[in-house]
Amino acid sequence: PVEQQVSFFYERQIVEWEQKGGVERPKLADFDVKSWFEERRKHDNGGYVVSLLLDKDRHEPITEADMALAKRFMKEKFLIGLSKRMPASFERFDKYFGWFDNEKRGECLKTFGQLKAKGENDPKKIEVGSELWNYIAESYKYDVELFNYAEELWEDQATTSWFWK
C-alpha cells in the first residue's frame, strides 16, 4: 500500500489526460511527497481500499467492525494475486478460471507479463523502514492491515481445497 500511494502521488503530478472531475492537480508539481501525504492525512481515514470495499466515505472513521467486514469480503469473494508474485498469481488465475485451454493463453500471458506492478516506475523510491515510509504506512494503516491480510490469504488459498473445486 505504501508503494501504491507513492506511485499515485507521482502519477498525479504528471497526468494531464485525467482532467475530468478535478483529478489532475497541477499544484502537485510544487509539493514534495511528504507534504502531500501530510495534507491528505488531514482529510483521509487511512483506509482508501477499505473504504472502496465497504462503499464508505473516506472521511468517516474506520472501525474494527469495518475491518472485520472488509477482511470477510476479501476472504469470501476474492481470488488473491500479488504483484510481487506475478507469475504465480497468473498461474493461479489460469487454473481457477480455466484459461489453460484457451487458444489465446500464450498471447495473454505475454501481454500480462509485460505489465509492471504499480510502483515499479516511480521516479523516486522510498526506502522501506525510513521515517517517510513509516509515516505513509501509518497514514494508510487500515490499507496496510488489509494488504497484510491479503498476503495471508494468498498462502491460505494455495492450500484450501474448497477454493480449487
Side-chain angles (χ1 to χ4, degrees):
V2 172
E3 291 82 2
Q4 283 83 6
Q5 289 299 326
V6 171
S7 180
F8 179 76
F9 166 75
Y10 288 119
E11 286 176 20
R12 292 299 162 254
Q13 275 189 321
I14 60 173
V15 169
E16 294 179 12
W17 49 268
E18 287 191 8
Q19 296 180 12
K20 185 173 133 182
V23 173
E24 181 196 19
R25 297 190 177 113
K27 293 180 193 176
L28 287 181
D30 298 330
F31 267 76
D32 64 31
V33 69
K34 181 161 188 191
S35 299
W36 188 66
F37 282 105
E38 287 172 344
E39 187 63 31
R40 286 185 60 112
R41 192 171 186 172
K42 295 176 190 175
H43 310 287
D44 199 301
N45 63 13
Y48 175 75
V49 174
V50 174
S51 295
L52 286 174
L53 278 174
L54 302 179
D55 194 25
K56 184 177 183 111
D57 188 296
R58 287 189 10 228
H59 300 13
E60 293 178 28
I62 292 177
T63 66
E64 287 184 32
D66 291 334
M67 287 304 299
L69 184 58
K71 289 176 180 180
R72 189 174 119 220
F73 283 164
M74 188 170 279
K75 183 175 185 174
E76 294 177 2
K77 306 289 183 184
F78 284 66
L79 174 60
I80 303 298
L82 299 173
S83 59
K84 66 183 179 183
R85 296 183 177 170
M86 196 75 79
S89 293
F90 286 123
E91 183 179 329
R92 182 175 289 190
F93 300 149
D94 196 29
K95 287 178 183 175
Y96 184 80
F97 293 110
W99 293 338
F100 53 84
D101 63 354
N102 186 306
E103 64 186 47
K104 293 191 175 193
R105 178 179 183 263
E107 182 181 330
C108 290
L109 288 174
K110 181 180 175 186
T111 300
F112 285 122
Q114 293 171 355
L115 296 176
K116 293 195 177 198
K118 198 93 163 130
E120 286 187 21
N121 289 323
D122 290 340
K124 299 176 186 172
K125 295 273 186 187
I126 295 177
E127 185 178 333
V128 174
S130 68
E131 182 180 333
L132 179 56
W133 194 94
N134 291 335
Y135 180 83
I136 297 167
E138 177 59 28
S139 298
Y140 290 90
K141 63 184 175 186
Y142 299 109
D143 285 347
V144 169
E145 181 180 339
L146 191 64
F147 178 77
N148 291 337
Y149 183 70
E151 288 186 314
E152 291 174 27
L153 285 178
W154 161 267
E155 298 298 334
D156 291 347
Q157 287 179 352
T159 59
T160 305
S161 61
W162 70 263
F163 193 78
W164 297 108
K165 290 184 180 179

Short mmCIF file of all heavy atoms in Angstrom, two decimals, residues 23-43:
data_model
loop_
_atom_site.label_atom_id
_atom_site.label_comp_id
_atom_site.label_asym_id
_atom_site.label_seq_id
_atom_site.Cartn_x
_atom_site.Cartn_y
_atom_site.Cartn_z
N VAL A 23 -9.44 15.63 -11.24
CA VAL A 23 -8.45 14.61 -10.91
C VAL A 23 -7.03 15.16 -11.09
O VAL A 23 -6.17 14.95 -10.27
CB VAL A 23 -8.65 13.34 -11.75
CG1 VAL A 23 -7.51 12.37 -11.54
CG2 VAL A 23 -9.97 12.70 -11.41
N GLU A 24 -6.81 15.90 -12.18
CA GLU A 24 -5.48 16.46 -12.39
C GLU A 24 -5.25 17.57 -11.37
O GLU A 24 -6.10 18.42 -11.15
CB GLU A 24 -5.33 17.02 -13.79
CG GLU A 24 -3.94 17.58 -14.01
CD GLU A 24 -3.85 18.47 -15.20
OE1 GLU A 24 -4.88 18.96 -15.67
OE2 GLU A 24 -2.73 18.71 -15.65
N ARG A 25 -4.09 17.57 -10.79
CA ARG A 25 -3.77 18.58 -9.79
C ARG A 25 -2.40 19.19 -10.10
O ARG A 25 -1.39 18.73 -9.57
CB ARG A 25 -3.78 17.95 -8.41
CG ARG A 25 -5.17 17.43 -8.06
CD ARG A 25 -5.25 17.02 -6.62
NE ARG A 25 -6.61 16.62 -6.35
CZ ARG A 25 -6.96 15.38 -6.07
NH1 ARG A 25 -6.07 14.43 -6.02
NH2 ARG A 25 -8.22 15.08 -5.82
N PRO A 26 -2.39 20.22 -10.95
CA PRO A 26 -1.11 20.83 -11.30
C PRO A 26 -0.36 21.37 -10.09
O PRO A 26 0.86 21.47 -10.10
CB PRO A 26 -1.49 21.97 -12.24
CG PRO A 26 -2.89 21.74 -12.64
CD PRO A 26 -3.51 20.85 -11.61
N LYS A 27 -1.07 21.70 -9.02
CA LYS A 27 -0.42 22.21 -7.82
C LYS A 27 0.56 21.19 -7.23
O LYS A 27 1.45 21.55 -6.49
CB LYS A 27 -1.46 22.56 -6.75
CG LYS A 27 -2.35 23.71 -7.10
CD LYS A 27 -3.34 23.95 -5.97
CE LYS A 27 -4.45 24.87 -6.39
NZ LYS A 27 -5.46 25.03 -5.36
N LEU A 28 0.35 19.93 -7.55
CA LEU A 28 1.24 18.90 -7.01
C LEU A 28 2.67 19.05 -7.49
O LEU A 28 3.59 18.53 -6.87
CB LEU A 28 0.74 17.50 -7.37
CG LEU A 28 -0.49 17.01 -6.63
CD1 LEU A 28 -0.85 15.61 -7.08
CD2 LEU A 28 -0.30 17.06 -5.14
N ALA A 29 2.85 19.75 -8.58
CA ALA A 29 4.20 19.94 -9.09
C ALA A 29 5.07 20.66 -8.05
O ALA A 29 6.29 20.48 -8.02
CB ALA A 29 4.18 20.74 -10.39
N ASP A 30 4.45 21.47 -7.20
CA ASP A 30 5.19 22.21 -6.18
C ASP A 30 5.26 21.48 -4.84
O ASP A 30 5.87 21.96 -3.91
CB ASP A 30 4.54 23.58 -5.97
CG ASP A 30 4.59 24.43 -7.24
OD1 ASP A 30 5.55 24.25 -8.02
OD2 ASP A 30 3.68 25.24 -7.44
N PHE A 31 4.60 20.34 -4.73
CA PHE A 31 4.59 19.58 -3.48
C PHE A 31 5.71 18.55 -3.49
O PHE A 31 6.01 17.94 -4.51
CB PHE A 31 3.28 18.78 -3.35
CG PHE A 31 2.19 19.48 -2.61
CD1 PHE A 31 1.48 20.51 -3.20
CD2 PHE A 31 1.86 19.09 -1.32
CE1 PHE A 31 0.46 21.14 -2.52
CE2 PHE A 31 0.84 19.71 -0.64
CZ PHE A 31 0.14 20.74 -1.23
N ASP A 32 6.30 18.33 -2.33
CA ASP A 32 7.13 17.14 -2.21
C ASP A 32 6.23 16.04 -1.65
O ASP A 32 5.13 16.30 -1.17
CB ASP A 32 8.38 17.38 -1.35
CG ASP A 32 8.05 17.71 0.10
OD1 ASP A 32 7.03 17.22 0.63
OD2 ASP A 32 8.84 18.43 0.73
N VAL A 33 6.69 14.82 -1.72
CA VAL A 33 5.84 13.69 -1.38
C VAL A 33 5.40 13.75 0.09
O VAL A 33 4.24 13.47 0.41
CB VAL A 33 6.52 12.35 -1.76
CG1 VAL A 33 7.71 12.06 -0.89
CG2 VAL A 33 5.53 11.21 -1.72
N LYS A 34 6.27 14.14 0.99
CA LYS A 34 5.88 14.19 2.41
C LYS A 34 4.80 15.24 2.65
O LYS A 34 3.83 14.99 3.36
CB LYS A 34 7.08 14.46 3.31
CG LYS A 34 6.63 14.47 4.77
CD LYS A 34 7.71 14.29 5.76
CE LYS A 34 7.04 14.12 7.11
NZ LYS A 34 7.86 14.18 8.21
N SER A 35 4.93 16.42 2.05
CA SER A 35 3.93 17.47 2.22
C SER A 35 2.57 17.00 1.71
O SER A 35 1.53 17.30 2.31
CB SER A 35 4.34 18.73 1.47
OG SER A 35 5.55 19.21 1.96
N TRP A 36 2.58 16.28 0.61
CA TRP A 36 1.33 15.80 0.04
C TRP A 36 0.64 14.83 0.99
O TRP A 36 -0.55 14.91 1.23
CB TRP A 36 1.58 15.14 -1.31
CG TRP A 36 0.34 14.79 -2.05
CD1 TRP A 36 -0.59 15.65 -2.56
CD2 TRP A 36 -0.11 13.48 -2.40
NE1 TRP A 36 -1.58 14.96 -3.20
CE2 TRP A 36 -1.31 13.62 -3.11
CE3 TRP A 36 0.40 12.21 -2.18
CZ2 TRP A 36 -2.01 12.54 -3.60
CZ3 TRP A 36 -0.31 11.13 -2.68
CH2 TRP A 36 -1.50 11.30 -3.38
N PHE A 37 1.42 13.91 1.56
CA PHE A 37 0.84 12.94 2.50
C PHE A 37 0.39 13.62 3.79
O PHE A 37 -0.62 13.23 4.37
CB PHE A 37 1.79 11.78 2.76
CG PHE A 37 1.79 10.80 1.64
CD1 PHE A 37 2.84 10.73 0.76
CD2 PHE A 37 0.71 9.96 1.44
CE1 PHE A 37 2.82 9.84 -0.30
CE2 PHE A 37 0.68 9.06 0.39
CZ PHE A 37 1.74 9.00 -0.49
N GLU A 38 1.10 14.63 4.23
CA GLU A 38 0.67 15.36 5.42
C GLU A 38 -0.68 16.03 5.16
O GLU A 38 -1.57 16.02 6.02
CB GLU A 38 1.71 16.40 5.82
CG GLU A 38 2.95 15.79 6.44
CD GLU A 38 4.07 16.79 6.65
OE1 GLU A 38 4.04 17.90 6.07
OE2 GLU A 38 5.01 16.44 7.39
N GLU A 39 -0.84 16.60 3.99
CA GLU A 39 -2.10 17.26 3.62
C GLU A 39 -3.23 16.24 3.51
O GLU A 39 -4.34 16.46 4.01
CB GLU A 39 -1.92 18.03 2.32
CG GLU A 39 -3.10 18.89 1.94
CD GLU A 39 -3.39 19.99 2.94
OE1 GLU A 39 -2.46 20.50 3.59
OE2 GLU A 39 -4.58 20.35 3.07
N ARG A 40 -2.97 15.14 2.86
CA ARG A 40 -4.01 14.10 2.69
C ARG A 40 -4.44 13.51 4.02
O ARG A 40 -5.60 13.16 4.21
CB ARG A 40 -3.52 13.00 1.76
CG ARG A 40 -3.49 13.42 0.31
CD ARG A 40 -3.09 12.26 -0.55
NE ARG A 40 -4.01 11.16 -0.41
CZ ARG A 40 -4.83 10.74 -1.36
NH1 ARG A 40 -4.84 11.34 -2.51
NH2 ARG A 40 -5.62 9.71 -1.16
N ARG A 41 -3.49 13.36 4.92
CA ARG A 41 -3.78 12.72 6.21
C ARG A 41 -4.82 13.52 7.00
O ARG A 41 -5.57 12.95 7.79
CB ARG A 41 -2.49 12.58 7.01
CG ARG A 41 -2.62 11.70 8.22
CD ARG A 41 -1.27 11.44 8.83
NE ARG A 41 -1.37 10.48 9.90
CZ ARG A 41 -0.36 9.95 10.51
NH1 ARG A 41 0.86 10.28 10.17
NH2 ARG A 41 -0.53 9.08 11.48
N LYS A 42 -4.88 14.81 6.76
CA LYS A 42 -5.85 15.65 7.47
C LYS A 42 -7.29 15.31 7.07
O LYS A 42 -8.21 15.58 7.82
CB LYS A 42 -5.61 17.13 7.14
CG LYS A 42 -4.30 17.67 7.64
CD LYS A 42 -4.13 19.11 7.17
CE LYS A 42 -2.74 19.62 7.44
NZ LYS A 42 -2.54 20.97 6.87
N HIS A 43 -7.47 14.75 5.88
CA HIS A 43 -8.81 14.56 5.33
C HIS A 43 -9.15 13.11 5.00
O HIS A 43 -10.17 12.85 4.40
CB HIS A 43 -8.97 15.40 4.05
CG HIS A 43 -8.56 16.82 4.23
ND1 HIS A 43 -9.31 17.72 4.95
CD2 HIS A 43 -7.46 17.49 3.81
CE1 HIS A 43 -8.69 18.90 4.95
NE2 HIS A 43 -7.57 18.77 4.26
#
